[in-house]
């Protein structure tokens, strides 16, 4: 009996140590964001901001707000487009069971394996020929190509667990396929919807490859490109860079905390069958 508490404490210590190691970059980001520019090359560096300087955060408020709004616009647009495409597709694969559904699932899985840089190069040629380079909605389309396959798989797994008796009862009451989806299936798929919306937003919010390839010369740049404002050949404003990273991390952290319960239920849907 005495071995179990000892083993539990050992596992707890190991978990705390690993968590501290993983969170150390976050701590260091906050530390550097509060470090005066003149102390950046101090050796050894201060482990705590003994003389905090908020000039980096003032620079963010003065310079980066337009980039934050663009990132928010692209993120919300990606969420909307992903849900519009992924939810009906997941419903069709889960409940309508069309021919070739297994092949479609395999193709979606393969799509998740394609490196983003390869897709970015393809989009560059397409967008250039269509004349839609350097547009925020072009980034929405590009980011959605990563989010939609993931969304379809999540919706398919979740909706497969919805009892067929529920949809059959709706059809008996006179509801068609679309009405059954909108009024019955979609409302009970809240966990999957929140999961897909969250990951779609996070992918779009943190995207750099598509933004740098497809919107690097436009006036509407996301925050991942706005950070370059503080990087030059002879000068790097590290406190402003890290302050921008801290501010950009806040929406993602808040969303993850608020949605973690739904995400845990959404990503495990379909893992256990009766």
């Amino acid at each position: 009996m005495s071995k179990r508490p000892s083993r539990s404490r050992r596992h707890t210590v190991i978990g705390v140590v690993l968590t501290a190691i993983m969170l150390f970059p976050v701590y260091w980001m906050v530390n550097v964001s509060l470090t005066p520019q003149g102390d950046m090359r101090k050796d050894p560096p201060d482990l705590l901001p003994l003389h905090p300087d908020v000039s980096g955060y003032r620079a963010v408020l003065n310079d980066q707000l337009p980039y934050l709004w663009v990132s928010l616009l692209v993120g919300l647009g990606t969420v909307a487009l992903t849900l519009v495409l992924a939810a009906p597709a997941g419903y069709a694969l889960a409940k309508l069971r069309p021919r070739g559904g297994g092949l479609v699932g395999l193709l979606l899985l393969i799509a998740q394996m394609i490196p983003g840089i390869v897709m970015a190069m393809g989009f560059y040629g397409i967008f250039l020929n269509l004349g839609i380079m350097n547009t925020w909605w072009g980034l929405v389309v590009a980011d959605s190509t990563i989010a939609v396959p993931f969304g379809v798989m999540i919706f398919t797994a979740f909706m497969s667990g919805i009892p067929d008796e529920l949809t059959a009862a709706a059809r008996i009451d006179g509801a068609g396929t679309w009405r059954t989806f909108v009024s019955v299936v979609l409302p009970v798929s809240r966990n999957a919807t929140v999961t897909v919306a969250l990951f779609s937003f996070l992918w779009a919010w943190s995207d750099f490859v598509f933004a740098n390839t497809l919107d690097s010369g436009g006036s509407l740049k996301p925050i991942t490109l706005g950070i370059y404002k503080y990087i030059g050949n002879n000068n790097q404003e590290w406190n402003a860079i890290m302050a921008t990273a801290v501010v950009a991390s806040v929406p993602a952290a808040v969303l993850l905390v608020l949605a973690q319960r739904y995400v845990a239920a959404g990503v495990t849907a379909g893992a256990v069958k009766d």
Side-chain angles (χ1 to χ4, degrees):
M1 296 295 293
S2 61
K3 292 183 178 179
R4 285 187 178 178
S6 176
R7 182 180 300 175
S8 177
R9 283 194 294 270
R10 186 165 60 250
H11 291 170
T12 301
V13 171
I14 294 174
V16 170
V17 171
L18 292 177
T19 302
I21 293 174
M22 289 186 290
L23 291 180
F24 181 79
V26 178
Y27 157 74
W28 197 249
M29 179 175 64
V30 176
N31 182 33
V32 174
S33 71
L34 295 172
T35 301
Q37 188 67 27
D39 294 343
M40 289 295 170
R41 299 184 181 276
K42 192 174 180 180
D43 188 20
D46 294 328
L47 294 178
L48 292 173
L50 302 178
H51 307 286
D53 180 16
V54 297
S55 61
Y57 291 93
R58 284 198 295 267
V60 172
L61 294 177
N62 293 332
D63 303 331
Q64 299 292 337
L65 286 182
Y67 305 116
L68 286 169
W69 283 115
V70 172
S71 288
L72 181 62
L73 184 63
V74 173
L76 294 178
T78 301
V79 169
L81 182 58
T82 299
L83 292 179
V84 167
L85 296 177
Y91 172 67
L93 292 175
K95 293 301 180 185
L96 303 183
R97 300 179 180 88
R99 273 187 196 175
L103 177 60
V104 172
L106 177 61
L107 293 176
L108 291 173
L109 187 61
I110 293 175
Q112 292 289 95
M113 301 177 184
I114 301 176
I117 188 62
V118 175
M119 299 178 64
M121 292 298 100
F123 275 121
Y124 182 84
I126 295 173
F127 281 25
L128 192 63
N129 290 331
L130 295 178
I132 57 175
M133 290 284 291
N134 305 323
T135 59
W136 67 268
W137 53 271
L139 284 181
V140 169
V141 173
D143 290 330
S144 297
T145 58
I146 295 180
V148 167
F150 171 81
V152 174
M153 290 189 293
I154 291 294
F155 275 118
T156 302
F158 191 93
M159 292 177 180
S160 295
I162 298 176
D164 290 335
E165 292 80 6
L166 194 62
T167 57
R171 286 194 294 271
I172 291 174
D173 290 338
T177 301
W178 181 252
R179 180 65 181 273
T180 302
F181 166 68
V182 173
S183 301
V184 178
V185 176
L186 198 57
V188 300
S189 302
R190 179 180 60 180
N191 292 338
T193 301
V194 173
T195 301
V196 173
L198 176 64
F199 280 96
S200 301
F201 181 85
L202 293 180
W203 277 325
W205 182 266
S206 61
D207 169 59
F208 175 79
V209 174
F210 286 153
N212 191 45
T213 305
L214 305 176
D215 199 41
S216 59
S219 58
L220 298 177
K221 297 180 181 180
I223 190 64
T224 49
L225 296 185
I227 200 170
Y228 276 114
K229 188 178 182 71
Y230 306 120
I231 301 177
N233 292 329
N234 301 314
N235 180 46
Q236 289 83 33
E237 300 178 38
W238 286 109
N239 57 348
I241 292 172
M242 292 303 178
T244 304
V246 171
V247 172
S249 301
V250 169
V254 171
L255 287 175
L256 282 171
V257 170
L258 294 177
Q260 60 180 337
R261 177 165 60 92
Y262 302 101
V263 171
V267 297
T268 56
V272 178
K273 296 291 185 181
D274 295 334

